[in-house]
Structures are given as structure tokens and as C-alpha cells.
């Protein structure tokens, strides 16, 4: 029950992030697909703790600034992101594309730890906390390349290689061949293999014994002509981070 309650709280936060407006109790319950009575108990608890407030009688509830303040405190104290953020920002400014910092989750997926958005109007716009399939993601390929052969083979054996479109690599042999090519040329690539018309290049980085990867992503028409230039900048940033660590 406690795990289910925690999930509901997260769903409330994500609902407000998606809706971007005050929500009456009945509408929030409908969006969450929960009984009104259960939703009311959660709302009263979050309101009592200062995370929600009633915008007006019968007008609905909305998060207070407390949620942002707590999130900022947590982010500022992140032991890894605090070290890598300046380099990520420099990469974003140098390429003017979206920068993603990620690692492998315990269940063998790529989890985005931080995202720095491109200043372009048309851009790749993921969010921190997203999970992605290893085989159809430049970061996943970069992270997979750091595993020793037994660990890599075990992951590939248990990993469903979902076909997202006609460009997705869906066989072990095709993925391993792509990893070999990527090592030789100096960058790992996702060319519309998960999201059509979105491309990204990535390179791994090891910090204090933990494996991470960084990618530069955006529309394919902007990424592909610059992939060698971006790869050189990306590798240089990863090397500098490893030397600092």
C-alpha cells in the first residue's frame, strides 16, 4: 500500500507538469483514474505539507513553490551532476543541440540523469528521468561498449530488441557490428532508430569507477552533417571529465 501511495504522489506531480493548470478534485481524480475519496486524502496530505494550495473556492488545486525549492536543493547537492554540469553546459553552448547525461539502470535500460535543452525552436526535447531501450539509443550503445563480454552477452540475451521503425537494429549481430563500427570511427550513433528524424551521437565516460555516457542530439538534418565535429568536441569533454575525476 505504501508503494502504491508513493506512486500516486509522483503521478500527481507529473499530471500537473503535463496539464499546467489548477485542477479541481474531481478532474484530478479522473486524470489519475482513482476514486475521489482516495484522491482527496492525498490532496489533503500534500496541502497540509505545503506542496499544494487551493487557488480559489471550487477552482482547484495547484503546486506551491515548495516543490520547486525542494527539487532545486536536491539538484544542487547531486554528487555527480554537480561535477559534470559545467561540461554539459559547455557542450550545449558549443553545439547548440540538446545534451543528455545518462547511465544504465539496474533493469538494463538507459536512464536520463540530466538534460540540457537546445536553444533551437526545433529540437530534441527529452526530460530527465526518461528510460530508453539500449539497442535503439546512442547512449545505450556507448554504455553497452563499456561492459565486459560476459556482462554484455547476458544483457543482450535478456533484452527485448523492440522494433521502433525500419531503422531499428533488432538482431544481436547487427547491434554488435554497429558497436564495432562505432568504436573505430569514434562515436556511437542513433540515426532515427527510435524516433524518426531524430539523431544523436554519444561517447562513454567513466567517473570514479561508474560508467556514464553523454550525447548530442537533435534533428537528423542538423546532426549528421556535423557528426565528426560534434564527436571530436564530445570525446574531448569526456576525456577532460575523466582526468578531473
Amino acid at each position: 500500500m505504501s508503494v502504491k501511495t508513493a506512486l500516486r504522489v509522483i503521478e500527481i506531480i507529473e499530471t500537473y507538469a503535463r496539464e499546467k493548470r489548477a485542477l479541481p478534485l474531481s478532474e484530478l481524480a479522473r486524470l489519475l483514474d482513482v476514486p475521489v475519496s482516495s484522491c482527496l486524502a492525498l490532496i489533503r496530505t500534500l496541502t497540509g505539507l505545503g506542496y499544494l494550495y487551493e487557488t480559489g473556492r471550487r477552482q482547484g488545486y495547484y503546486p506551491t513553490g515548495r516543490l520547486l525549492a525542494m527539487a532545486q536543493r536536491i539538484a544542487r547537492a547531486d554528487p555527480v551532476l554537480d561535477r559534470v554540469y559545467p561540461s554539459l553546459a559547455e557542450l550545449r553552448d558549443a553545439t547548440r543541440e540538446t545534451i543528455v547525461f545518462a547511465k544504465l539502470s539496474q533493469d538494463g535500460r538507459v536512464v536520463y540523469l540530466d538534460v540540457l535543452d537546445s536553444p533551437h525552436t526545433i529540437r530534441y526535447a527529452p526530460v530527465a528521468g526518461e528510460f530508453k531501450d539500449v539497442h535503439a539509443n546512442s547512449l545505450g550503445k556507448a554504455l553497452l561498449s563499456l561492459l565486459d563480454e560476459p556482462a554484455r552477452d547476458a544483457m543482450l540475451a535478456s533484452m527485448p530488441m523492440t522494433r521502433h521503425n525500419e531503422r531499428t537494429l533488432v538482431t544481436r549481430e547487427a547491434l554488435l557490428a554497429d558497436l564495432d563500427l562505432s568504436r573505430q570511427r569514434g562515436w556511437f550513433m542513433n540515426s532515427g532508430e527510435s524516433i524518426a528524424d531524430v539523431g544523436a551521437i554519444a561517447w562513454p565516460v567513466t567517473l570514479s569507477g561508474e560508467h556514464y555516457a553523454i550525447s548530442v542530439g537533435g534533428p537528423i538534418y542538423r546532426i549528421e552533417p556535423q557528426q565528426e565535429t560534434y564527436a571530436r568536441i564530445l570525446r574531448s569533454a569526456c576525456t577532460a571529465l575523466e582526468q578531473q575525476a
Side-chain angles (χ1 to χ4, degrees):
M1 179 62 70
S2 60
V3 173
K4 185 175 181 181
T5 301
L7 177 61
R8 293 298 186 205
V9 171
I10 298 301
E11 289 176 341
I12 288 173
I13 294 170
E14 292 183 345
T15 297
Y16 277 111
R18 183 177 63 251
E19 296 295 324
K20 301 182 181 67
R21 58 190 174 90
L23 295 169
L25 174 62
S26 58
E27 186 173 5
L28 182 58
R30 178 181 62 79
L31 292 170
L32 295 173
D33 192 24
V34 299
V36 172
S37 58
S38 299
C39 189
L40 177 60
L42 287 168
I43 290 298
R44 283 177 172 171
T45 299
L46 291 172
T47 301
L49 292 172
Y51 286 96
L52 295 179
Y53 77 103
E54 193 170 10
T55 59
R57 185 170 178 79
R58 299 184 183 281
Q59 292 180 8
Y61 297 85
Y62 199 76
T64 68
R66 183 176 177 83
L67 182 60
L68 175 61
M70 293 296 110
Q72 289 174 331
R73 288 185 190 179
I74 293 169
R76 284 195 294 267
D78 189 298
V80 177
L81 296 183
D82 182 59
R83 285 189 293 164
V84 303
Y85 182 84
S87 295
L88 301 181
E90 288 179 6
L91 278 170
R92 191 265 318 278
D93 295 342
T95 62
R96 293 179 61 79
E97 298 293 354
T98 298
I99 306 300
V100 180
F101 181 63
K103 72 175 305 185
L104 288 177
S105 65
Q106 290 185 343
D107 62 357
R109 294 181 294 169
V110 179
V111 57
Y112 289 1
L113 303 179
D114 202 8
V115 175
L116 278 67
D117 288 330
S118 163
H120 291 291
T121 302
I122 299 175
R123 63 182 184 271
Y124 176 43
V127 296
E130 283 190 29
F131 290 93
K132 299 291 183 180
D133 291 337
V134 169
H135 70 289
N137 184 276
S138 63
L139 292 155
K141 294 175 184 178
L143 290 162
L144 193 60
S145 75
L146 294 178
L147 300 180
D148 58 37
E149 188 171 345
R152 183 196 64 196
D153 290 345
M155 177 173 289
L156 292 178
S158 63
M159 183 177 71
M161 299 183 71
T162 303
R163 181 183 294 279
H164 298 281
N165 56 50
E166 68 280 358
R167 293 190 176 189
T168 308
L169 304 178
V170 294
T171 67
R172 180 180 184 277
E173 292 72 23
L175 181 57
L176 292 178
D178 187 77
L179 293 182
D180 288 338
L181 173 62
S182 299
R183 293 188 192 97
Q184 294 172 19
R185 71 186 174 195
W187 70 86
F188 296 85
M189 184 75 183
N190 172 7
S191 183
E193 297 160 39
S194 52
I195 303 175
D197 301 323
V198 172
I201 64 168
W203 196 248
V205 56
T206 300
L207 305 173
S208 302
E210 289 291 319
H211 298 324
Y212 303 90
I214 302 172
S215 72
V216 179
I220 288 178
Y221 71 84
R222 287 206 307 260
I223 296 296
E224 289 193 342
Q226 298 294 329
Q227 47 192 6
E228 289 191 17
T229 299
Y230 290 168
R232 185 172 61 253
I233 297 172
L234 181 55
R235 289 195 305 269
S236 177
C238 290
T239 299
L241 280 168
E242 289 180 337
Q243 291 174 344
Q244 291 170 13

